[in-house]
């Protein structure tokens, strides 16, 4: 079991290790592995060398003992040192006698081998196996081989010993050599490893620098991708993809926040004017400044008009909010031809001074079925026609066309007014956008709040379509909408159009060629089909 003290020690060691950089940890691991490998190699090689040297010395001593056993007279002669060799010690042990050293040990009596008492029945004498002994009173060690010789007709045990000084010196030199070479190898490994790791970590340093730059606010920074194709390159590629998505997300958030601030400011501006008017008229009435019945009626009529205006604005805002929630719309077959025909008839009733034309996109009027929400699609056509009526001079002709082009149903609202600046054509679908920068309305009060075309775009996009304004030669402005057709047949169920009867399959009676044109297109799953007036277009 581990106690609290052990837990504290481990936690402290872990925190200390966490404070060490990854490079330093890798170098430490490299050095530890290298030292371990060198240590094990040196230890094993030294042991093997020692065993080899000991075996060699044992063979030499055994050879000398065999020569002595074959000719014991050599020991007693004066030429024994030259014959046997120097550095050996020979000890005779007669039965019951005192051990006699014939050849003295090198280094004096203190270094004489401490050979144990031997008899003819001793295992060392019988087997001839070498063994190691120390000195009588010194530090020298000896390798000993015991045998028996015949002197004066008697078998006498004899021991031949050789010192291990040479072996110890060789082993010491090898240890020193291993230490020096190992230290040099470790230092070289540290230097080379540090350089290699630093070079290998350079891409990670670039990732770190890029992350620091991004944290400082530079979201456009990217990590350089190397051509090595290794894990770091794959990581850099993945991180760059992630950073691109993050940058796009931040851009969307910033755009959304900017749109929201602009939306709130525009909505406040639009509501401020009618509220100020209502408050002003109410204060006039409360202060008694308006006493005549006809003046009182006028004041209350103005209050009612401003309240109605605020109500319309609030309803438009609620419609946009619901569309922004991307709620599921009704999906049922809707004949767009019927909606356009109704819008043309309504426009003739509201603007009797205008020529409102209605016809087919390809010359003939036919069924144009789409899958969608009928009230919302009707609102799209109504808003486009109202925009054309409100933003063109009185008496300006307007044309409405509908039909199928490929797999797309297209509806066009064409006016022959003064046209629109191509630079502003794309902005007309922005919320609260009006052509007059001062936000003032026309004298007829037809300026609007700037939400009609924004609702058109939101509904069209919700149906998977597109909407745009085009300006072409001979026509000032054209609004165009396109949607994917439905497969269910549905005949036109409404009849004639004022200012000339138009029935399914007939052309529009309007043939005006003046220069104002507007187009609205909404397309669903299929790619949008370009819609344009014959001749070169200028589109935004």
């Amino acid at each position: 079991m581990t106690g609290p003290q052990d837990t504290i020690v481990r936690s402290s060691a872990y925190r200390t290790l966490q404070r060490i950089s990854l490079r330093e940890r890798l170098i430490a691991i490299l050095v530890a592995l290298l030292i371990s490998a060198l240590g094990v190699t040196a230890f094993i090689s030294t042991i093997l060398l020692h065993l080899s040297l000991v075996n060699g010395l044992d063979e030499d001593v055994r050879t000398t003992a065999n020569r002595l056993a074959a000719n014991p007279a050599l020991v007693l002669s004066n030429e024994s040192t030259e014959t046997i060799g120097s550095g050996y010690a020979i000890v005779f042990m007669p039965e019951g006698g005192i051990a006699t050293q014939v050849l003295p040990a090198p280094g004096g009596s203190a270094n004489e081998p401490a050979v144990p008492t031997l008899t003819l029945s001793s295992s060392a004498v019988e087997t001839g196996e070498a063994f190691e002994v120390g000195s009588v009173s010194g530090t020298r060690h000896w390798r000993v081989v015991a045998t028996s010789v015949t002197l004066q007709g008697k078998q006498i045990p004899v021991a031949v010993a050789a010192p291990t000084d040479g072996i110890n010196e060789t082993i010491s030199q090898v240890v020193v050599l291993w230490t020096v070479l190992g230290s040099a190898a470790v230092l070289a490994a540290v230097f080379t490893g540090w350089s290699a790791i630093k070079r290998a970590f350079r891409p990670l340093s670039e990732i770190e620098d890029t992350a620091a730059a991004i944290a400082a606010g530079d979201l456009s920074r990217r990590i350089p991708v190397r051509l090595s194709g290794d894990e770091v390159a794959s990581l850099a590629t993945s991180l760059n993809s992630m950073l691109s998505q993050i940058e796009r997300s931040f851009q969307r958030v910033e755009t959304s926040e900017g749109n929201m601030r602009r939306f709130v400011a525009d909505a406040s501006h639009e509501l401020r004017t009618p509220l100020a008017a209502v408050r002003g008229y109410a204060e006039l009435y409360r202060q008694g400044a308006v006493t005549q019945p006809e003046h009182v009626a006028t004041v209350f009529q103005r209050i009612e008009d401003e309240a109605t205006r605020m109500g319309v604005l609030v309803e438009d805002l609620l419609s946009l909010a619901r569309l922004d929630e991307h709620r599921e719309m009704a999906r049922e077959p809707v004949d767009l031809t019927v909606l356009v025909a109704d819008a043309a008839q309504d426009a003739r009733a509201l603007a009797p001074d205008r020529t409102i034309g209605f016809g087919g996109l390809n010359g003939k009027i036919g069924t144009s079925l789409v899958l969608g929400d009928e009230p919302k699609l009707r609102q799209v056509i109504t808003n486009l026609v109202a925009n054309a009526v409100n933003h063109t001079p009185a008496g300006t002709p307007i044309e409405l066309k509908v039909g199928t082009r490929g797999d797309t149903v297209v509806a066009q609202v064409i006016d022959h007014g003064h046209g629109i600046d191509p630079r502003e054509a794309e902005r007309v679908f922005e919320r609260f956008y009006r052509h007059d920068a001062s936000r003032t309305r026309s004298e007829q009060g037809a300026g609007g709040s700037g939400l009609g075309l924004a609702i058109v775009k939101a509904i069209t996009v919700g149906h998977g379509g597109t909407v745009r304004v085009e300006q072409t030669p001979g026509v000032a402005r054209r609004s165009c909408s396109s949607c994917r057709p439905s497969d269910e047949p549905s005949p036109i169920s409404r009849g004639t159009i004022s200012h000339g009867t138009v029935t399914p399959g007939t052309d529009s009676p309007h043939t005006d060629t003046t220069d104002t044109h507007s187009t609205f297109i909404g397309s669903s799953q299929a790619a949008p089909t370009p819609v344009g007036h014959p001749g070169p277009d200028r589109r935004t």
Side-chain angles (χ1 to χ4, degrees):
M1 296 180 63
T2 59
Q5 189 66 29
D6 296 334
T7 304
I8 293 174
V9 170
R10 286 198 300 269
S11 178
S12 176
Y14 178 76
R15 287 194 298 270
T16 302
L17 183 62
Q18 289 297 105
R19 286 194 291 268
I20 301 175
S21 67
L22 182 58
R23 289 189 182 92
E24 294 173 347
R25 275 184 276 175
L26 288 176
I27 288 296
I29 293 173
L30 175 64
V31 170
L33 291 175
L34 183 59
I35 291 177
S36 300
L38 289 175
V40 171
T41 303
F43 177 77
I44 294 175
S45 61
T46 302
I47 293 296
L48 294 176
L49 178 61
H50 182 269
L51 291 176
S52 177
L53 293 175
V54 168
N55 290 333
L57 182 60
D58 290 345
E59 289 297 325
D60 292 342
V61 175
R62 187 173 291 105
T63 301
T64 302
N66 291 335
R67 292 173 59 191
L68 180 62
N71 191 6
L74 290 174
V75 180
L76 302 178
S77 65
N78 295 330
E79 294 83 8
S80 59
T81 302
E82 290 78 3
T83 305
I84 296 177
S86 61
Y88 290 94
I90 300 176
V91 180
F92 286 91
M93 294 185 178
E95 292 286 347
I98 300 174
T100 303
Q101 184 166 326
V102 178
L103 292 180
S109 59
N111 288 319
E112 293 178 355
V115 180
T117 302
L118 299 172
T119 63
L120 293 176
S121 59
S122 298
S123 60
V125 176
E126 292 180 349
T127 60
E129 293 292 332
F131 57 93
E132 189 168 334
V133 299
S135 300
V136 174
S137 58
T139 58
R140 176 178 291 173
H141 285 259
W142 301 77
R143 297 295 295 178
V144 181
V145 173
T147 185
S148 61
V149 298
T150 303
L151 288 176
Q152 299 176 356
K154 293 183 179 181
Q155 290 288 330
I156 300 174
V158 63
V160 179
T164 60
D165 296 348
I167 295 176
N168 296 334
E169 184 178 356
T170 301
I171 295 299
S172 299
Q173 292 175 352
V174 170
V175 170
V176 171
L177 181 62
W178 269 112
T179 303
V180 172
L181 293 178
S183 301
V186 169
L187 292 176
V190 169
F191 177 77
T192 305
W194 179 264
S195 301
I197 290 175
K198 185 177 180 181
R199 183 179 181 84
F201 272 54
R202 191 173 300 166
L204 296 181
S205 299
E206 293 174 348
I207 294 176
E208 183 181 1
D209 295 339
T210 302
I214 292 174
D218 186 5
L219 296 180
S220 62
R221 283 286 296 273
R222 293 295 179 269
I223 302 168
V225 179
R226 299 174 179 271
L227 301 178
S228 57
D230 56 7
E231 292 81 359
V232 177
S234 176
L235 175 62
T237 302
S238 301
L239 288 178
N240 283 339
S241 300
M242 182 188 69
L243 292 174
S244 298
Q245 294 179 4
I246 292 175
E247 183 182 12
R248 288 193 295 269
S249 298
F250 270 97
Q251 290 175 348
R252 285 194 294 267
V253 170
E254 291 176 356
T255 302
S256 177
E257 290 178 351
N259 292 339
M260 180 59 68
R261 287 192 295 268
R262 186 166 58 251
F263 180 80
V264 172
D266 291 338
S268 301
H269 187 281
E270 293 294 334
L271 290 171
R272 181 176 59 184
T273 302
L275 285 173
V278 170
R279 181 179 178 182
Y281 286 121
E283 288 182 354
L284 284 175
Y285 181 77
R286 180 177 56 81
Q287 293 171 0
V290 181
T291 57
Q292 299 297 326
E294 62 273 13
H295 294 165
V296 172
T298 300
V299 167
F300 276 96
Q301 181 62 46
R302 293 295 298 155
I303 291 176
E304 183 180 357
D305 291 343
E306 295 299 332
T308 301
R309 175 184 162 196
M310 285 190 292
V312 172
L313 178 60
V314 170
E315 286 297 326
D316 288 344
L317 291 174
L318 288 175
S319 297
L320 284 172
R322 294 190 187 100
L323 291 171
D324 287 342
E325 292 177 357
H326 303 291
R327 296 180 180 178
E328 186 68 24
M329 296 185 183
R331 297 291 180 180
E332 56 186 14
V334 178
D335 192 345
L336 204 61
T337 303
V338 173
L339 303 186
V340 175
D342 289 346
Q345 187 168 348
D346 294 341
R348 287 190 174 91
L350 294 174
D353 60 324
R354 296 174 182 264
T355 302
I356 309 296
F358 171 61
L361 185 65
N362 301 315
K364 293 184 179 180
I365 300 176
T367 302
S368 302
L369 288 180
V370 297
L371 288 175
D373 189 320
E374 191 269 343
K376 287 184 168 41
L377 292 176
R378 185 178 294 275
Q379 184 179 8
V380 167
I381 304 300
T382 301
N383 286 7
L384 285 174
V385 174
N387 181 267
V389 171
N390 292 333
H391 294 281
T392 55
T396 301
I398 297 176
E399 296 180 63
L400 281 73
K401 293 185 178 181
V402 63
T404 301
R405 183 168 295 171
D407 62 349
T408 304
V409 175
V410 180
Q412 294 180 347
V413 177
I414 307 169
D415 71 70
H416 295 261
H418 50 70
I420 187 173
D421 189 338
R423 294 172 296 181
E424 298 181 0
E426 192 66 29
R427 297 194 60 195
V428 296
F429 298 103
E430 295 180 3
R431 299 177 183 185
F432 294 108
Y433 176 79
R434 287 202 302 270
H435 176 66
D436 53 328
S438 63
R439 295 182 175 275
T440 59
R441 286 170 169 71
S442 64
E443 294 180 358
Q444 294 80 9
S449 64
L451 293 177
L453 293 185
I455 293 175
V456 166
K457 182 176 181 180
I459 294 175
T460 306
V461 173
H463 282 78
T466 60
V467 58
R468 69 175 180 267
V469 173
E470 299 174 344
Q471 189 158 330
T472 62
V475 182
R477 187 178 58 182
R478 173 176 58 192
S479 299
C480 180
S481 165
S482 67
C483 295
R484 185 173 181 177
S486 170
D487 294 332
E488 295 189 24
S490 176
I492 297 178
S493 58
R494 284 161 232 213
T496 61
I497 306 295
S498 60
H499 295 281
T501 302
V502 179
T503 58
T506 63
D507 295 339
S508 168
H510 179 67
T511 58
D512 194 294
T513 57
T514 54
D515 297 337
T516 307
H517 189 145
S518 170
T519 307
F520 162 78
I521 301 183
S523 171
S524 69
Q525 301 157 3
T529 302
V531 177
H533 192 272
D537 293 12
R538 286 185 296 140
R539 300 177 182 174
T540 19

